[in-house]
Amino acid sequence: MPKVELHVHLDGSLRWETVEELARDVRPEAGLPQTEHLRDAVIPKGKQPLESYLAAFDFTIPLLQTQVALERAAFELCLDAAAENVIYIEIRFAPLLHTRLELKPRDVVASVLAGMRRAHDQTGIESGLILTALKQESTEHSIETVQLAAQFRRDGVVGVDLAGPERMFPPLKHRKAVEFAHDAGLHVTIHAGEGCCPEQIKEAVDLGAERIGHGVYLFQAPRTERRVADLGIPLEMCPTSNLQVSGFMTSYADHPLARYIDLGIPVTISTDNRLMSQIDLTHEFEVVTKAFKLQRAAVRSLVTNSVRAAFQPEEKRQSLQARVDAFFARKRP
């Protein structure tokens, strides 16, 4: 089945073999665990709060501090996605976290884009890059990220994102950066309501977010839920990651995505972090289909939602949709 992925983090989706290889070349002061303990540090065990889950990135970000490593990570992620027939992928990462060894931010972004282009040349997979600013950082930090995105707007960067811990770090703190993004013609998605804090979903909508990252806790804010439905704002849902982080789900069947679908909210399916969750997009569609006994038409709608929500011109979305429609028009054996 052709698939579209809108929410996947570069530094959360490395191949394990690449983690092991890159870790051998990291300086001791980076503080990485010994190889035999690295897997436990990088791949969280069981369910945990968002803040604990995010600690795993402390051990992948140090691996991606060179142009070679960044290009490789992007290239391999696109290859892995293409292998399961993801026809379009939007990769996101926070470029300012990758300047510890004196790489310039522009070099960081250019390296990732180079890996994505190389994967396209080899497999045909289409892609876009989203630059992430961090909620826990300063407004100056987020504005710098948006400025960087604007510089690469015609070279493969399709939007900006706000991500990071939710408690104590409201999106509204970064209003100036988001307004700058809108003025620059950049698409905007904002993480909100992932592990708590449904009020942050309202803030994201107030800021003009075109999509909401996760939005799991939306059902706890009925007014905002109706508003999201009325506006048709897509939710970037990542079932396994949501199960790991949400705090109220004990199985995939507990995921509120079926509720949101029934309300007419455009639900999309993505992986979030392929490494941390040890899954791919095919897995996510399989578990959702099984948990909610989805029929073929419902699965088609999920894919179509992702196509329509892609940060691409209408012509590109129509091209992607044609590929999806061609698949679902086939008669099953």
Side-chain angles (χ1 to χ4, degrees), residues 157-234:
V157 171
V158 297
V160 295
D161 173 36
L162 270 176
E166 292 183 294
R167 300 186 194 277
M168 307 299 294
F169 301 107
L172 282 175
K173 171 185 173 183
H174 300 277
R175 178 186 293 277
K176 288 183 179 179
V178 175
E179 290 175 347
F180 180 18
H182 290 312
D183 291 342
L186 292 162
H187 294 287
V188 176
T189 177
I190 297 177
H191 281 67
E194 178 180 6
C196 68
C197 313
E199 67 277 5
Q200 292 204 5
I201 304 174
K202 178 184 182 301
E203 291 187 17
V205 176
D206 289 343
L207 286 170
E210 298 166 67
R211 302 192 318 231
I212 301 297
H214 305 291
V216 179
Y217 275 76
L218 179 60
F219 69 94
Q220 290 189 352
R223 283 188 182 179
T224 303
E225 187 179 53
R226 289 193 296 272
R227 186 177 173 198
V228 168
D230 290 344
L231 293 173
I233 298 174

Side-chain angles (χ1 to χ4, degrees), residues 25-311:
D25 297 326
V26 172
R27 296 176 181 177
E29 56 265 32
L32 291 184
Q34 295 296 317
T35 303
E36 61 269 25
H37 302 299
L38 184 57
R39 189 177 183 91
D40 289 338
V42 169
I43 302 174
K45 293 285 192 297
K47 293 185 273 294
Q48 55 194 285
L50 176 61
E51 290 74 16
S52 299
Y53 178 86
L54 293 176
F57 291 87
D58 293 340
F59 306 106
T60 57
I61 291 171
L63 308 178
L64 301 174
Q65 298 295 326
T66 68
Q67 289 178 294
V68 171
L70 287 161
E71 180 177 346
R72 175 180 176 178
F75 174 68
E76 291 179 347
L77 172 53
C78 289
L79 287 190
D80 293 343
E84 55 168 336
N85 205 23
V86 174
I87 58 175
Y88 175 74
I89 185 170
E90 288 180 0
I91 300 171
R92 63 184 70 192
F93 83 126
L96 301 187
L97 294 180
H98 300 270
T99 57
R100 297 177 184 176
L101 298 183
E102 300 181 355
L103 270 184
K104 302 298 184 187
R106 285 183 58 84
D107 295 331
V108 170
V109 176
S111 299
V112 173
L113 289 170
M116 294 162 65
R117 284 193 296 270
R118 185 154 64 98
H120 174 265
D121 292 343
Q122 184 166 319
T123 69
I125 186 171
E126 304 281 352
S127 60
L129 185 61
I130 295 173
L131 302 192
T132 298
L134 301 173
K135 295 180 184 178
Q136 70 271 28
E137 296 291 343
S138 66
T139 304
E140 289 74 21
H141 175 284
S142 55
I143 289 174
E144 183 179 355
T145 300
V146 174
Q147 289 174 329
L148 191 60
Q151 292 174 38
F152 284 90
R153 183 166 166 264
R154 290 177 174 80
D155 297 309
V157 171
V158 297
V160 295
D161 173 36
L162 270 176
E166 292 183 294
R167 300 186 194 277
M168 307 299 294
F169 301 107
L172 282 175
K173 171 185 173 183
H174 300 277
R175 178 186 293 277
K176 288 183 179 179
V178 175
E179 290 175 347
F180 180 18
H182 290 312
D183 291 342
L186 292 162
H187 294 287
V188 176
T189 177
I190 297 177
H191 281 67
E194 178 180 6
C196 68
C197 313
E199 67 277 5
Q200 292 204 5
I201 304 174
K202 178 184 182 301
E203 291 187 17
V205 176
D206 289 343
L207 286 170
E210 298 166 67
R211 302 192 318 231
I212 301 297
H214 305 291
V216 179
Y217 275 76
L218 179 60
F219 69 94
Q220 290 189 352
R223 283 188 182 179
T224 303
E225 187 179 53
R226 289 193 296 272
R227 186 177 173 198
V228 168
D230 290 344
L231 293 173
I233 298 174
L235 302 179
E236 304 163 355
M237 314 220 81
C238 307
T240 298
S241 176
N242 298 156
L243 179 60
Q244 290 174 291
V245 168
S246 71
F248 67 86
M249 295 166 52
T250 59
S251 71
Y252 291 108
D254 295 329
H255 201 295
L257 68 87
R259 170 191 175 101
Y260 302 146
I261 291 172
D262 289 343
L263 290 171
I265 297 171
V267 168
T268 69
I269 303 296
S270 292
T271 59
D272 201 16
N273 301 294
R274 291 166 174 246
L275 172 63
M276 282 72 172
S277 295
Q278 291 290 282
I279 46 88
D280 58 18
L281 191 54
T282 300
H283 173 275
E284 298 299 87
F285 271 97
E286 287 175 344
V287 296
V288 166
T289 299
K290 182 178 180 181
F292 299 104
K293 298 181 173 58
L294 299 183
Q295 300 300 309
R296 186 177 174 87
V299 175
R300 180 177 186 171
S301 292
L302 289 172
V303 181
T304 294
N305 289 343
S306 293
V307 172
R308 290 175 177 168
F311 289 161

